[in-house]
Amino acid sequence: MKALVYFETLNNEIRDVSLSAIEFAKNFTNEIYGFITNLESAKKYVKKLYVLETENEFPDVIAHEISKVIENEKIEYVLFVSTNKSKEIMSYLTGIINGLMIEDIEAYESNYFIKSIYSNKVYAQFKINYEGIKILGIKPKSFKTPNELEIEGEVIKLKPSKSSSIEIIEIRPKETKEVDLTEADIVVSGGRGLGSAENYHKLLRELIDVLKEKTNLKVALGASQAVVDAGWIDHSHQVGQTGKTVSPLIYFAIGISGAIQHLAGMRTSKYIIAINKDNEAPIFKIADYGLVGDVNTIIPELTQKLKGG
Ligand SMILES: Cc1cc2nc3c(=O)[nH]c(=O)nc-3n(C[C@H](O)[C@H](O)[C@H](O)COP(=O)(O)OP(=O)(O)OC[C@H]3O[C@@H](n4cnc5c(N)ncnc54)[C@H](O)[C@@H]3O)c2cc1C
């Protein structure tokens, strides 16, 4: 049995989160192949690596090339990390090969898959009874990152054999050095309780800076929908049902009430720390640690304490 792992890239590097798909693949087979665009560095993790050399990473073209590898290599499992980019490729691929697609898998235990359903309110444990090709996406950070292999995998270079049905008119890069929410070890999220855009950025960014300095971990800025709707920050920072799903080691919910749609995007975080002046705020029901009080007092104090002051 063979598995093919799709390695997602960002700014000419393999995204850390996509490496964990290797660890997931080991549940099914040791015959693990890889597929990536442009980079050869992923050969450290697989026996054979297909490298598609392409300037534009069109999801339909990538899916088409993956489908050819599946056919040639008789692949049974195709594994992704469920990011927005990979989900697009998974959808195209499912259409092309008529496979079975499941996204956002969080665990695999004793031949059962586990994922959250109904806006993360319950866990579903399920089996797959499907003989055809299985296209599976794991939730970012649900599985650990693998060690590099001692051998270097064989590299097979490909050129796109079809052109995309999408035509790009213009690409405008965003000026950002911020850590992507789904990659972060710590997410510091703020809600309406911060009162203003100025306060949101000042208090949270100071806390983020000190957390980065003291922990050396990846720390990202998150937001509730109320904050995004108010225009304090753009939608790429929104956590929740209509934003991103995150599962960091630590999630700070600061001035966030804990509406069900927000919880849908963060309740699988390892440790949740909530700060809210209302001791009945729903966020405290799922928080591991709670601080009841005014964010304007607590956050500067916390930042100062972490600085060692
Ligand atoms: C279809 C749909 C999809 C949605 N998708 C999302 C989504 O993806 N993400 C999302 O976040 N929401 C989503 N929502 C909106 C969601 O229902 C809530 O309205 C939203 O999450 C509320 O944001 P909030 O917690 O910042 O604001 P509020 O609910 O207004 O909460 C503010 C909190 O701050 C506290 N507070 C106020 N002042 C202070 C202070 N000085 N110090 C400490 N605490 C203070 C208050 O006690 C309160 O608990 C969605 C809604 C719908 C209908």
Side-chain angles (χ1 to χ4, degrees), residues 61-261:
V61 173
I62 294 174
H64 177 74
E65 298 307 328
I66 291 178
S67 74
K68 288 180 21 189
V69 174
I70 291 171
E71 198 184 334
N72 292 340
E73 296 284 4
K74 306 275 175 284
I75 300 285
E76 200 170 312
Y77 287 88
V78 196
L79 307 168
F80 292 81
V81 170
S82 298
T83 59
N84 288 345
K85 180 177 172 183
S86 287
K87 281 178 181 176
E88 261 195 281
I89 300 169
M90 290 168 75
S91 307
Y92 277 108
L93 184 61
T94 306
I96 296 168
I97 63 172
N98 194 21
L100 172 93
M101 175 174 121
I102 300 174
E103 297 174 346
D104 289 321
I105 293 167
E106 287 167 49
Y108 183 75
E109 287 163 14
S110 319
N111 295 328
Y112 290 108
F113 297 87
I114 296 169
K115 69 174 275 183
S116 308
I117 56 170
Y118 302 134
S119 296
N120 288 352
K121 282 202 263 304
V122 293
Y123 285 111
Q125 190 183 35
F126 58 94
K127 265 171 80 174
I128 296 178
N129 299 321
Y130 184 73
E131 294 297 319
I133 296 152
K134 292 156 271 289
I135 301 162
L136 307 178
I138 57 168
K139 197 164 174 175
K141 294 199 172 275
S142 299
F143 292 80
K144 61 179 188 175
T145 310
N147 296 326
E148 297 171 3
L149 289 182
E150 275 164 25
I151 50 153
E152 283 199 347
E154 179 190 354
V155 172
I156 298 168
K157 294 193 176 172
L158 307 170
K159 295 269 185 225
S161 58
K162 87 183 249 300
S163 51
S164 176
S165 36
I166 302 161
E167 187 189 346
I168 292 187
I169 308 300
E170 188 192 358
I171 292 183
R172 277 175 285 168
K174 278 203 212 167
E175 285 290 321
T176 178
K177 291 197 185 88
E178 301 206 36
V179 175
D180 185 276
L181 270 178
T182 56
E183 301 251 356
D185 305 298
I186 303 177
V187 173
V188 175
S189 270
R192 193 166 7 223
L194 281 147
S196 67
E198 196 192 0
N199 223 23
Y200 169 87
H201 286 282
K202 183 174 181 299
L203 295 185
L204 301 194
R205 287 187 191 279
E206 278 174 6
L207 177 58
I208 286 174
D209 286 346
V210 70
L211 284 168
K212 277 185 188 160
E213 191 192 315
K214 297 288 176 184
T215 65
N216 254 335
L217 295 172
K218 291 183 189 167
V219 191
L221 178 63
S224 70
Q225 190 186 67
V227 159
V228 173
D229 286 350
W232 298 357
I233 195 149
D234 69 79
H235 181 262
S236 67
H237 292 264
Q238 184 176 319
V239 173
Q241 191 178 318
T242 44
K244 290 191 174 143
T245 302
V246 298
S247 215
L249 179 64
I250 305 174
Y251 187 89
F252 284 90
I254 301 173
I256 291 177
S257 58
I260 190 74
Q261 297 89 355

